[in-house]
Amino acid sequence: MEFGNSSKQLVLGIAAASATFVMLWFGYGLSPWWPLMWFAPLPVLLFALRSSWWAAGLAAATAWLVSGLNLWGYFHLLGMSFGVWFGIFAVVAAFAVVAVLLFRSLVLHGAVWSGLIAFPATWVVLEYVRNLTTPHGTGGSLAYTQLKFLPFLQLASLTGPWGMTLLLLLFPAALAIGWQLRDREPQRAFRVVGVTFCVLGAVLIFGAVRL
């Protein structure tokens, strides 16, 4: 069900974009606080499932684009122009919009498992294409935010950064779906969240043993 009141939708959209922005700001960058990245997309994903598609897209674009300003000082130190920074993070914001809207469309049309995978998979595509087409390789991958989370970091030995990014974004997608379905389809919500937690638990057990 979409928010009926446009002013209410605006307020909630600003709140969702702001919450995601703050968590991205501190969870991604040169000195990330790794726990925040597990929850950073969640406010925008929750908002997307209750709002119009354009409001969801605008919230996603705003959160991801503005949060990129936390690296502007680093870009400036390297002698890069604002245009270079904007070009890079405009692409990131565009992929965020695609990922959020694809997630929204699939979940609202009942394809919750596809929606669960679509959000993180879209992001992995961005990172993989960037790895192939830029001289920076895997630089900028969300996996680097988890360097201090040692049990989870061991997943890189099997999947590289791609698997880490996939699971990192699978977690908030599952929480958003579980919350959306909690009243209407509680058993389905439990399965989505339960399967995700089991996968994450298996990865962390593997990582702990490997350490």
Side-chain angles (χ1 to χ4, degrees):
M1 180 182 296
E2 294 185 359
F3 298 116
N5 190 299
S6 58
S7 59
K8 180 181 179 181
Q9 182 172 234
L10 176 62
V11 170
L12 291 173
I14 292 173
S18 299
T20 290
F21 154 71
V22 170
M23 287 189 279
L24 288 173
W25 182 280
F26 292 105
Y28 179 82
L30 300 181
S31 301
W33 188 33
W34 65 264
L36 288 179
M37 276 309 305
W38 289 89
F39 298 95
L42 183 58
V44 165
L45 293 178
L46 288 171
F47 176 70
L49 294 177
R50 294 296 185 92
S51 67
S52 61
W53 67 269
W54 62 267
L58 183 60
T62 302
W64 266 271
L65 182 61
V66 178
S67 67
L69 287 171
N70 70 343
L71 287 173
W72 165 240
Y74 177 68
F75 275 62
H76 183 68
L77 184 65
L78 294 178
M80 296 183 180
S81 67
F82 179 79
V84 172
W85 172 89
F86 183 80
I88 291 173
F89 284 96
V91 171
V92 171
F95 266 85
V97 171
V98 171
V100 169
L101 293 184
L102 183 58
F103 166 83
R104 175 187 180 277
S105 178
L106 289 169
V107 173
L108 292 183
H109 285 87
V112 294
W113 293 102
S114 297
L116 176 66
I117 297 296
F119 177 69
T122 302
W123 209 269
V124 171
V125 168
L126 165 64
E127 293 189 354
Y128 190 70
V129 170
R130 188 165 55 189
N131 173 64
L132 295 178
T133 59
T134 73
H136 309 295
T138 59
S141 169
L142 296 181
Y144 289 106
T145 66
Q146 304 299 302
L147 293 179
K148 293 184 179 180
F149 189 9
L150 297 183
F152 182 62
L153 184 61
Q154 306 312 305
L155 180 60
S157 66
L158 299 178
T159 67
W162 326 120
M164 292 179 64
T165 296
L166 186 75
L167 190 52
L168 180 62
L169 296 182
L170 193 74
F171 179 74
L175 293 183
I177 292 172
W179 184 261
Q180 174 73 5
L181 300 180
R182 70 192 187 285
D183 294 325
R184 189 174 70 254
E185 300 180 79
Q187 292 184 345
R188 200 176 191 187
F190 179 79
R191 286 196 297 270
V192 170
V193 175
V195 167
T196 302
F197 274 59
C198 285
V199 172
L200 177 59
V203 167
L204 295 181
I205 291 171
F206 164 77
V209 171
R210 192 169 189 271
L211 285 173

